[in-house]
Amino acid sequence: MSLADSRGRQEGHSRGRPRSEAVERSIIEGAMKLLEEGVPLGEVSIERIARTAGVGKATIYRRWRGKEELFVDVLRAAEPPEPELPGTSMRDDLVVLLESLRQRGLINRSSAILHNVFAQMKSSPKIWTEYHETVIEPRRRIVFGVLRRGQRNGELRDDVDVELLNDLFVGPMLLRSIMRPAADLPEDLAERIVDTVLEGLRPTTP
């Protein structure tokens, strides 16, 4: 069970209090503000978040059991929604998926938050594990589905390891958008990455 599921179940059965979306949003925004300003993750205490959000610490603890649970929701809130895939071809779907990563890199707020957290994630393995399970893995499964459909449709060689291929597509975009925040993100970058990788992976005609 995920931390978020555990939190929801605990609130529903033991606390019995309605959750105010406005209050939760102000708390998450308070945490985001601190991260955006570059405050190290280890220094973002519940007390500091409460002060920034204009609420009491008890208000936070009624909704999250601790900082780690809260930051899982902060990370989710910093993520853009998943794009709608056109479904016209494997290439088109891959371009849309990579373009969403490029757009995320262009959103200064999200990039600042994620860059700050990623740089310090090793010190908070629970946050990383939950983020990986709830954000990264679902996205990987979407790409796997697109690639496997491409194999079935004859757009991609059927002997290609889709997990490795996912990394070949996503890796360059993540490197530029997160690990190198000053790197150029031209409008045609998603198309260039997809077409470059696919060039040597299309089935050969007999």
Side-chain angles (χ1 to χ4, degrees), residues 174-190:
L174 290 180
L175 177 66
R176 287 202 178 195
S177 62
I178 295 178
M179 304 306 294
R180 293 174 54 203
D184 190 25
L185 292 172
E187 291 185 2
D188 64 343
L189 182 58

Side-chain angles (χ1 to χ4, degrees), residues 20 56 69 87 109 142 149-150 156 168 181 188 194-195:
S20 167
E69 282 192 359
R109 183 180 177 86
I142 291 173
R149 190 179 71 240
L156 181 68
L168 293 176
D188 64 343
V194 171
D195 290 340

